[in-house]
């Protein structure tokens, strides 16, 4: 589905000699390769090796390219350091196919400081040698093209403990590696190497500087005297003449404020080129840097971070054409788009000095006329889809919209056309959309719940009576809605003006007057299962009988109590426990690993995925039949999502049933046209998207489902 960008691209990596060969790494949405012919980005982490069990490997911490072989790509992955050790993915065809090896240290592609680096580097003179600056365990080396790794104990043998990591507020470790060489392909390892060491690791390891140098290929290391101490070094680049340009920042970022310092370094002498300090209410910092050329005419593009908006005196990208003696601003107050804030990586195209790109919180922006007195900038985000959908509900056949998308950061949107970006939304402000629903017999009536990120006011709710053309916010909120803003929320709309809202960790409430007042239902309160762990009720309205509303408590976590199912026959005002659900002994699982769906074509026809398997009820939840096809295996859920869509022509059952789960040890999307008697896999290994978080099935077109990948926006099938 079209949105465009939507999330943080944490790094851009050009091949140094092959024109237009460029990769983008993201913090939660995998990686992309630029397609010059199509002027769009190609996702390269959707396929084999990126299924449900591998969703954390959609956090890309570093990418390295071999300057001698433009087909070879190395990609270091792992979303959070607390999730355990990361992986190194290797491709010999520019990311079309991957193999991987397990790394002996954790990675943090979505941790603070994720735009620093690159941490992973290929020795251009001996490409079988790689170095990696880890967050928690110092510097590592591979001598066999990434297949095996050993800690460079000559620098430090310290591996930070969890207590040390927590005490430091995270771990930056060894932030980058840079080779001091202008040659490549000699077969002899580069001898001079620099490594930037974060203050947290330097303190724990007893290192005396934030930069170390090796003159013997990494066998021994010596501290480099620095002009400032206790700073991070997010980026350090080498010009063609051997001069280094180095950014220093007090904070880790993304979007680190000042103070920031920018120096050039000839191997012995540091020369200050630019400073940023908090001043007059501003707190600009320094982020990305890129250079081209050499000597007195070296071109430098320098990213200014934490500089929000677009105003006179603002800095976003500073350009120098005299090796840093003088500077001019080339993005703020220029024609076209601007993208301030998280300018933590800037790249000058090696094959076109007037083409400069930088990352930001919503993707990538570029100019192709950087030498102009007033360069023009525009987004370069075609086919980058890094939004995170939290809830999805499709509309009945014939409705003027396809579905309602409730997503993190971008809010709630109605999609009317699969080929264009949506325009109908309750607010264009920065918000989260948590859940929404429509009245099935009257789909112009819509209600939803979200989080007002733009104001910090907490939860809010909204409704539309005309299919999303106009919107009103609820005048009041039910208990728990303002403060319990987590995504484990649900909304059900049995009919116009009738809404049941279940905020995370809260007893659901109902309104019959569009939020003028709310009344709590009699559903039981949900005990906490862990600190900071959201749980909630899944709500669903019967599409044939608006008096029937269903509520499913999944138990909250695998260590929680058995799942329970509740039924209302008075439009969601009061509920009764289904003893049949107790008898079924539904497995306890997290809210996001479970779901419930109603067949819109038959009253009381319900499907439930309890995380382990699928259950079917034909009597409004009084009794449940367990399907034996699905079972958890290889670290993934047996059945996490169930959705019903338009039936196949001539099918015996009135809906096509789709399940995200595991049959015979193989995870994927499965479809049944005969009410679950038989199942066929609906996706394949090339379409896994880092796992699937939500799914809904179209009511107009058989075989069309909508799914969210891990940081991959929404995708649809034909």
């Amino acid at each position: 589905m079209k949105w465009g960008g939507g999330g943080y691209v944490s790094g851009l990596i050009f091949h140094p000699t092959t024109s237009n060969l460029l990769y983008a790494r993201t913090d939660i949405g995998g990686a992309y390769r630029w397609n010059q012919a199509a002027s769009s980005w190609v996702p390269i982490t959707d396929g084999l090796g990126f299924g449900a069990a591998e969703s954390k490997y959609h956090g890309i911490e570093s990418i390295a390219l071999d300057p001698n072989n433009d087909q070879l790509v190395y990609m270091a992955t792992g979303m959070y350091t607390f999730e355990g050790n990361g992986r190194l993915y290797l491709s010999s065809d520019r990311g079309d196919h991957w193999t991987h090896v397990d790394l002996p240290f954790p990675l943090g592609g979505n941790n603070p400081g994720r735009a620093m680096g690159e941490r992973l580097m290929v020795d251009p003179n001996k490409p079988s040698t790689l170095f990696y600056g880890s967050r928690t365990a110092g510097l590592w080396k591979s001598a066999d093209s990434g297949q095996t790794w050993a800690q460079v104990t000559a620098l430090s043998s310290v591996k930070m403990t969890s207590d040390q990591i927590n005490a430091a507020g995270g771990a930056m470790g060894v932030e980058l590696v840079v080779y001091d060489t202008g040659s490549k392909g000699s077969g002899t390892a580069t001898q001079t190497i620099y490594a930037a060491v974060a203050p947290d690791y330097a303190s724990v390891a007893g290192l005396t500087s934030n930069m170390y140098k090796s003159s013997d290929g990494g066998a021994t290391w010596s501290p480099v005297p620095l002009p400032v101490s206790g700073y991070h070094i997010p980026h350090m680049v080498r010009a063609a003449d051997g001069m280094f340009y180095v950014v220093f920042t007090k904070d880790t970022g993304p979007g680190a404020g000042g103070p920031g310092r920018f120096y050039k370094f000839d191997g012995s002498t540091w020369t200050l080129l630019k400073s940023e300090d908090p001043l007059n209410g501003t707190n600009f910092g320094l982020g990305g840097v890129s250079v081209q050329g050499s000597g007195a005419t070296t071109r430098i593009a320098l990213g200014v971070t934490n500089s929000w908006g677009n105003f006179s005196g603002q800095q976003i990208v500073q350009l120098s054409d005299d090796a840093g003696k003088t500077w001019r601003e080339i993005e703020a107050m220029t024609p076209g788009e601007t993208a301030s804030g998280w300018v933590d990586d800037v790249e000058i195209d090696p094959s076109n000095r007037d083409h400069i790109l930088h990352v930001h919180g919503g993707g990538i922006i570029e100019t192709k006329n950087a030498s102009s007195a007033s360069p023009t900038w525009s987004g370069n985000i075609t086919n980058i889809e890094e939004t995170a959908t939290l809830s999805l509900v499709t509309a009945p056949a014939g409705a003027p919209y396809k579905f309602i998308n409730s997503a993190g950061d971008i809010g709630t949107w109605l999609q009317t056309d699969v080929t264009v970006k949506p325009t109908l939304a309750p607010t264009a402000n920065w918000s989260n959309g948590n859940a929404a629903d429509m009245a099935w017999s009257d789909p112009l009536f819509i209600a939803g719940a979200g989080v007002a990120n733009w104001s910090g006011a907490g939860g809010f709710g909204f409704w539309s009576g005309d299919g999303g053309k106009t919107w009103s916010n609820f005048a009041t909120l039910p208990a728990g809605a303002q403060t319990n803003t987590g995504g484990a929320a649900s909304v059900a709309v049995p009919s116009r003006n009738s809404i049941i809202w279940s905020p995370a960790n809260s007893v659901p409430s109902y309104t019959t007057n569009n939020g003028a007042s709310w009344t709590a239902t009699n559903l039981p309160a949900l005990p906490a299962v862990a600190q900071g762990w959201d749980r909630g009720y899944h709500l669903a309205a019967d599409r044939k009988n608006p008096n029937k509303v269903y509520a499913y408590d999944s138990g909250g976590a695998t260590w929680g109590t058995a799942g329970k199912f509740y039924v209302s026959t008075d439009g969601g005002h009061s509920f009764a426990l289904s003893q049949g659900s107790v008898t079924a002994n539904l497995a306890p699982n997290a809210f996001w690993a479970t779901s419930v769906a109603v067949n819109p074509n038959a009253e009381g026809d319900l499907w439930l995925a309890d995380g382990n398997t699928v259950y079917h009820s034909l009597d409004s939840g009084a009794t449940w039949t367990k399907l034996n096809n699905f079972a958890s295996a290889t670290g993934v859920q047996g059945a996490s999502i169930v959705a019903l869509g338009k039936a196949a022509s001539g099918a015996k059952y009135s809906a096509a049933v789709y399940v995200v789960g595991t049959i015979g040890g193989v995870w994927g999307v499965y479809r049944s046209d005969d009410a679950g008697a038989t199942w066929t896999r609906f996706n394949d290994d090339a379409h896994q998207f880092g796992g699937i978080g939500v799914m809904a099935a179209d009511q107009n077109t058989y075989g069309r489902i909508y799914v969210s990948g891990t940081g991959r926006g929404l995708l649809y099938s034909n």
Side-chain angles (χ1 to χ4, degrees), residues 180-220:
D180 187 3
T181 181
S183 61
K184 62 177 186 176
S186 68
T188 302
T190 302
Q191 293 301 292
T192 303
I193 310 167
Y194 290 92
V197 181
D200 55 27
Y201 189 75
S203 175
V204 170
L207 300 175
T208 58
S209 176
N210 296 119
M211 183 182 290
Y212 276 74
K213 175 183 178 180
S214 175
S215 300
D216 51 15
T220 61

Side-chain angles (χ1 to χ4, degrees), residues 561-598:
T561 55
K564 295 182 176 66
F565 195 85
Y566 299 84
V567 181
S568 171
T569 57
D570 59 4
H573 300 182
S574 62
F575 289 80
L577 174 65
S578 158
Q579 290 300 324
S581 72
V582 177
T583 303
N585 195 29
L586 304 176
N589 264 304
F591 179 91
W592 50 87
T594 56
S595 74
V596 62
V598 298

Side-chain angles (χ1 to χ4, degrees), residues 114-139:
R114 51 194 177 273
M116 292 180 175
E118 293 296 318
R119 294 175 178 272
L120 177 64
M121 293 298 288
V122 177
D123 187 337
N125 292 306
K126 191 175 184 181
S128 58
T129 297
L130 288 76
F131 281 90
Y132 197 95
S134 78
R135 286 177 173 265
T136 64
L139 184 64

Side-chain angles (χ1 to χ4, degrees), residues 29-170:
Y32 294 81
R33 183 185 67 242
W34 177 247
N35 181 339
Q36 179 70 10
S39 296
S40 68
W41 293 91
V42 178
I44 55 175
T45 50
D46 282 350
L48 193 64
F50 299 96
E54 295 136 329
S55 60
K56 67 181 179 181
Y57 304 121
H58 260 208
I60 314 299
E61 189 172 74
S62 192
I63 288 177
L65 307 179
D66 183 347
N68 303 278
N69 178 359
D70 67 7
Q71 300 294 309
L72 190 58
V73 186
Y74 297 94
M75 184 170 63
T77 70
M79 203 167 290
Y80 301 105
T81 53
F82 69 80
E83 292 182 311
N85 290 345
R87 276 183 180 175
L88 180 71
Y89 285 84
L90 306 93
S91 174
S92 58
D93 55 12
R94 299 185 178 182
D96 287 343
H97 302 87
W98 299 95
T99 59
H100 74 264
V101 297
D102 294 327
L103 292 172
F105 46 82
L107 281 74
N110 198 35
N111 279 125
R114 51 194 177 273
M116 292 180 175
E118 293 296 318
R119 294 175 178 272
L120 177 64
M121 293 298 288
V122 177
D123 187 337
N125 292 306
K126 191 175 184 181
S128 58
T129 297
L130 288 76
F131 281 90
Y132 197 95
S134 78
R135 286 177 173 265
T136 64
L139 184 64
W140 292 72
K141 178 182 178 180
S142 172
D144 54 9
S145 301
Q147 295 300 311
T148 60
W149 291 84
Q151 190 182 37
V152 182
T153 56
L155 179 64
S156 174
S157 60
V158 169
K159 298 178 181 178
M160 295 175 72
T161 66
S162 58
D163 287 344
Q164 290 169 332
I165 294 168
N166 293 334

Side-chain angles (χ1 to χ4, degrees), residues 322-486:
D322 54 14
K325 288 184 178 180
T326 61
W327 299 91
R328 66 185 181 97
E329 173 58 34
I330 62 168
E331 184 173 348
M333 306 300 291
T334 62
E337 297 180 42
T338 62
S340 57
W342 290 4
V343 191
D344 296 303
D345 188 33
V346 176
E347 298 295 334
I348 302 172
D349 185 338
S351 63
N352 178 3
R353 68 194 302 266
D354 280 340
H355 182 204
I356 299 177
L357 309 88
H358 72 77
V359 305
H360 62 95
I364 302 165
I365 193 168
E366 67 180 0
T367 181
K368 295 184 178 179
N369 60 340
S371 296
S372 165
S374 185
T376 53
W377 292 78
S378 60
N380 181 356
I381 53 175
T382 301
N383 211 35
I384 287 183
E385 297 289 344
E386 206 193 342
T387 58
T389 292
L390 304 176
S391 177
L392 192 66
V393 58
T394 48
Y401 56 95
K402 304 287 187 184
F403 58 78
I404 308 171
N405 173 18
S406 302
D409 284 334
I410 66 169
T412 302
W413 295 84
L414 271 65
Q415 194 93 29
T416 59
D417 186 332
V418 298
T419 64
V420 298
K421 184 174 179 175
T423 59
L424 300 176
T427 177
N429 290 321
W430 177 37
S431 66
N432 287 3
N434 280 342
D437 196 21
M438 77 291 291
W440 203 254
S441 61
D442 185 7
L444 297 183
F445 186 81
I446 301 160
V451 187
N453 296 331
W454 75 90
S455 67
F460 76 116
F462 39 85
W463 65 278
S464 173
D466 56 11
K469 295 178 182 177
T470 61
W471 298 84
S472 299
N473 286 350
F474 296 142
T476 65
L477 298 177
Q482 185 174 16
T483 56
N484 292 336
T485 57

